[in-house]
Amino acid sequence: MKRKTRILLTGLASVGVVAGAGLLHNRRPDRREHLHVTVFSEPGYMGRNQRLTWTGGEREVVPLTRVQLPRIGSIRLERLVYRFQPEVRLPNMYILRHALTERPDRTDPEGGAASFIAMHQLAGMFSVGLWEPVRESEARSGVRLWAGRPGDPLLGHDEGDLPGEAAPGKAAASGEAAAPGAQPWHDVLANTPDLGSWSTRTRYLEFGYHDGSGPRG
């Protein structure tokens, strides 16, 4: 077997393995989410703002002083997961077959062009990926707002993952905010244009998963 053919076949086999692994990854329901949180100092996504990013794994607690905003009046959430490129762009099989079967001709100035193009396409299958948004109904990550330091026994810290255990009426999607002196935390799972009393109660933001098991990937 010619050396060029062996190289192409090896490259094709390697790409097949990578592509297969990538396609399986793309279909996993538990791909790790990257959570981008934009916090605004005023309701209605107005005023000063800061963008915070959480890449999954262990829960992360950020004090309001680090956000450098006097308060948090509204929040926008964006969740992304990585998609491998093989599902998006496959090599041209005609060029690949031609590269494997063409005979070398030293007098042909374009000799080997098919091999070069084929190798370039094989490499391009997984050289670049993309981040795709997660639908709100499938999202697993969220933000928990704390009126005090998380983990303080006086606050009754929930040992479960953020936020899944909160009553439905306390979710951000309902548009209701906890009354002062009531629940020590407030879960934000969707874009919230007005945090109500939590705009002044919030002292810490906690990022994490809310499916009850944490990240599995």
Side-chain angles (χ1 to χ4, degrees), residues 7-217:
I7 293 175
L8 284 171
L9 289 177
T10 301
L12 183 60
S14 301
V15 166
V17 173
V18 174
L23 293 176
L24 289 176
H25 169 88
N26 291 343
R27 286 168 171 76
R28 287 179 56 182
D30 58 353
R31 286 179 291 170
R32 175 172 292 186
E33 296 175 7
H34 282 203
L35 173 65
H36 301 286
V37 180
T38 305
V39 292
F40 299 81
S41 62
E42 303 296 336
Y45 314 119
M46 303 291 288
R48 294 165 50 194
N49 66 82
Q50 290 283 353
R51 193 168 192 258
L52 307 172
T53 299
W54 181 70
T55 58
E58 295 295 327
R59 288 178 293 182
E60 180 180 356
V61 176
V62 177
L64 183 62
T65 53
R66 190 189 306 174
V67 180
Q68 297 182 342
L69 294 177
R71 58 185 173 275
I72 299 178
S74 50
I75 290 180
R76 273 185 176 152
L77 303 180
E78 179 185 13
R79 305 170 178 94
L80 302 172
V81 291
Y82 187 78
R83 175 178 290 277
F84 280 99
Q85 190 75 12
E87 191 173 33
V88 178
R89 183 175 60 194
L90 297 176
N92 185 299
M93 299 309 296
Y94 172 80
I95 294 179
L96 182 62
R97 184 173 64 253
H98 184 65
L100 292 171
T101 58
E102 70 175 352
R103 296 182 178 181
D105 185 353
R106 299 182 182 275
T107 63
D108 185 0
E110 297 183 358
S115 298
F116 176 80
I117 295 174
M119 292 298 292
H120 179 74
Q121 289 186 349
L122 290 175
M125 286 182 62
F126 53 89
S127 61
V128 178
L130 57 89
W131 289 91
E132 62 179 8
V134 179
R135 285 183 291 186
E136 190 173 294
S137 60
E138 300 175 355
R140 300 186 304 125
S141 56
V143 183
R144 175 167 285 181
L145 307 179
W146 285 89
R149 181 182 295 276
D152 188 335
L154 297 178
L155 291 176
H157 191 306
D158 181 355
E159 291 298 327
D161 282 295
L162 165 83
E165 301 80 5
K170 294 186 175 65
S174 69
E176 300 177 1
Q183 192 83 345
W185 67 79
H186 177 60
D187 293 333
V188 178
L189 308 181
N191 291 339
T192 307
D194 190 349
L195 289 171
S197 64
W198 279 97
S199 63
T200 55
R201 294 190 68 203
T202 300
R203 294 296 178 267
Y204 293 87
L205 298 89
E206 183 178 4
F207 307 116
Y209 289 97
H210 59 85
D211 63 355
S213 62
R216 291 166 291 179

